[in-house]
Amino acid sequence: MTGRLGVMSELLERHRRVIPNWVALYYDEPLELTSGSGSRVTDSSGRSYLDFFCGILTNMLGYDVPEVRQAVQRQLDTGIVHTSTLYLIKHQVELAEKLARLSGIENAKVFFTNSGTEANETALMLATVARRSNQVLALRNSYHGRSFGAVAITGNGAWKASQLAPFNVHYLHGTDRQLPAFAGLDDAAYTAACVQDLRHVLSTATAGDVACLIAEPVQGVGGFTMPPDGLLGEYAAVLRERGVLLISDEVQTGWGRTGEHFWGIGAHGVTPDIITFAKGLGNGFAIGGVIARGDLMDGLPGNGISTFGGNPLSTAAANATLDYVLAHDLQHNAAQLGGMIISGLREVAAALPAVGEVRGKGLMSAIDMVDPATGAPSPALATRMLAETRERGLLIGKGGLYGHALRMAPPMNVTEADAKEGLGILADALRAVNEEAVSR
């Protein structure tokens, strides 16, 4: 093989020699992205794509944003990229002040990490220490990270690398309305059934000192599945009767992406005890963290630092990103353009038997691909959709419990023109894959 294709083949072979085989790559011929601007990226062959997955929701403002680039350059110009939390870091303090204010949590304090996994580990440590218990409640179909503790509370078997666990975990209903037990229930009836089940779990499966419930308001890896609005608030009301803490995993749902609220938990009418965040805040720079009540944050008996968490470079980028989100009211943009995309997808899907549920909030939308004859989940058709959208110049993601859900999460500052272009590509690809599936 010669030229660019040969170079890509060589890079893929090198990747496979030194990178673990459980680190997945999209596509039969994986992409190497080499540049980007706005909502678009360019691969090593020079082809441009509209990006509707953005590094798994991490490039929240897309690519090459002047405000972020300039903030990072100013910090680079000082010669200080890293100091550690053993020294005062002005950008870190400024960012923590903003996050504490935006959280709605009383007397909030903030601890910075490098990722959502680390953030959730920290939150679990805060809760289990405060409650002196290793009992944790989580939702089925959830995903909270790749570390030992985060895997232990993840409710999706495909992502559980180890069945050994430092926690005693019990899984609640919330996003599994497709099960026969809940068939035909409206939101109110399903919520009531879930709350009744929670009370039963607390009476039969746990001791009285449960540490916390950790939940994603919209399940990311789970395929953008979500509980009915208000359910997590109903859960919290029951749990607070017993002193159990609520952790809202906002790694994918924060910063107004759902359109309705700044934090995804806002749809449930409750302020959590702890919020975890990561991904989009740094617009590509590694940052995560935890916001918690001061008494919980200060309650750890041992010493602690974060070598890289909250470093001057990542917090400079995060401050600029957050300021941009707020100054440009990107929550409103998510509501308006996200609503347009979701309604457009539903209109297209209504005539296509290979397309199941279309769901989403704001700039988080998902499509389930199903066997047109049986309605069963079809991971194969989801994979075909990734190839078809790539061929048409659009990058999307996939996930879901059965690997059959397509995930779309454009930059929060996506333009109306780009949103319409992406919707058009999705519609064309859906029709093509549906026709192929029906004709078999």
Side-chain angles (χ1 to χ4, degrees):
M1 301 177 75
T2 59
R4 284 290 185 183
L5 192 56
V7 171
M8 283 301 299
S9 177
E10 180 195 8
L11 183 60
L12 178 57
E13 290 172 4
R14 291 166 57 195
H15 172 99
R16 287 173 173 162
R17 281 197 298 269
V18 296
I19 304 299
N21 59 12
W22 40 262
V23 177
L25 290 167
Y26 277 167
Y27 312 114
D28 292 335
E29 295 180 2
L31 287 171
E32 180 195 8
L33 302 179
T34 57
S35 63
S37 179
S39 298
R40 297 179 188 275
V41 291
T42 301
D43 70 13
S44 56
S45 72
R47 180 163 186 197
S48 177
Y49 302 88
L50 187 60
D51 190 357
F52 268 27
F53 204 39
C54 297
I56 318 178
L57 291 80
T58 302
N59 296 301
M60 180 164 64
L61 305 181
Y63 301 87
D64 196 25
V65 180
E67 290 86 344
V68 178
R69 175 165 34 83
Q70 291 161 11
V72 170
Q73 188 60 57
R74 285 193 296 271
Q75 184 59 44
L76 286 171
D77 288 344
T78 69
I80 297 291
V81 173
H82 172 73
T83 64
S84 92
T85 52
L86 294 174
Y87 301 95
L88 289 170
I89 302 172
K90 185 176 182 180
H91 292 320
Q92 182 187 73
V93 173
E94 291 173 341
L95 184 59
E97 289 170 339
K98 295 171 188 175
L99 295 174
R101 183 177 68 253
L102 290 165
S103 72
I105 296 173
E106 187 174 358
N107 300 318
K109 289 192 173 184
V110 184
F111 178 77
F112 291 104
T113 65
N114 302 289
S115 68
T117 294
E118 287 185 42
N120 285 330
E121 286 280 354
T122 302
L124 290 165
M125 183 166 59
L126 297 178
T128 54
V129 166
R131 294 283 293 158
R132 301 181 64 81
S133 167
N134 75 336
Q135 295 184 100
V136 174
L137 302 173
L139 293 190
R140 299 181 184 194
N141 197 40
S142 59
Y143 176 81
H144 297 287
R146 60 174 174 75
S147 62
F148 188 53
V151 164
I153 60 166
T154 285
N156 184 323
W159 292 89
K160 294 183 83 70
S162 170
Q163 293 302 320
L164 301 175
F167 303 109
N168 183 356
V169 188
H170 298 280
Y171 294 100
L172 306 180
H173 300 292
T175 64
D176 50 9
R177 296 173 69 167
Q178 78 282 2
L179 296 178
F182 305 120
L185 297 183
D186 62 15
D187 285 356
Y190 177 70
T191 296
C194 289
V195 172
Q196 184 180 44
D197 179 73
L198 167 62
R199 291 189 181 277
H200 194 256
V201 168
L202 293 172
S203 298
T204 61
T206 70
D209 57 352
V210 174
C212 62
L213 165 63
I214 182 169
E216 304 158 274
V218 179
Q219 294 176 332
V221 169
F224 292 168
T225 47
M226 66 197 81
D229 288 356
L231 174 57
L232 298 180
E234 295 287 336
Y235 277 168
V238 172
L239 296 172
R240 283 177 176 169
E241 295 171 4
R242 301 168 179 246
V244 180
L245 302 172
L246 175 62
I247 302 171
S248 185
D249 179 342
E250 301 276 353
V251 169
Q252 297 197 26
T253 51
W255 328 118
R257 178 166 283 279
T258 66
E260 300 173 341
H261 304 278
F262 190 77
W263 304 105
I265 195 67
H268 297 272
V270 62
T271 300
D273 301 288
I274 301 172
I275 290 172
T276 60
F277 62 86
K279 288 196 181 290
L281 180 60
N283 203 51
F285 284 84
I287 190 167
V290 183
I291 314 169
R293 292 195 333 248
D295 62 302
L296 294 174
M297 194 70 84
D298 290 339
L300 296 185
N303 295 328
I305 61 169
S306 182
T307 300
F308 293 106
N311 69 76
L313 200 62
S314 66
T315 50
N319 271 300
T321 301
L322 183 56
D323 289 348
Y324 189 102
V325 168
L326 297 173
H328 293 82
D329 194 10
L330 295 191
Q331 180 178 327
H332 177 74
N333 197 56
Q336 293 296 109
L337 296 185
M340 181 194 75
I341 291 171
I342 293 167
S343 62
L345 290 174
R346 285 176 174 156
E347 183 177 345
V348 172
L352 306 178
V355 181
E357 182 183 24
V358 174
R359 61 184 168 271
K361 283 189 174 184
L363 288 171
M364 300 180 78
S365 55
I367 306 168
D368 288 340
M369 301 303 296
V370 300
D371 185 303
T374 66
S378 178
L381 290 183
T383 299
R384 286 289 303 126
M385 271 295 296
L386 257 66
E388 290 291 331
T389 54
R390 172 186 173 177
E391 181 64 26
R392 290 164 171 79
L394 176 69
L395 304 183
I396 61 174
K398 66 186 180 81
L401 185 61
Y402 307 106
H404 71 305
L406 307 173
R407 291 197 286 161
M408 284 69 67
M412 284 187 60
N413 57 342
V414 66
T415 65
E416 183 175 355
D418 285 346
K420 287 180 176 178
E421 179 183 346
L423 174 59
I425 293 173
L426 284 165
D428 287 346
L430 284 169
R431 293 187 186 104
V433 171
N434 180 80
E435 182 177 356
E436 177 184 311
V438 169
S439 63
R440 286 179 180 170

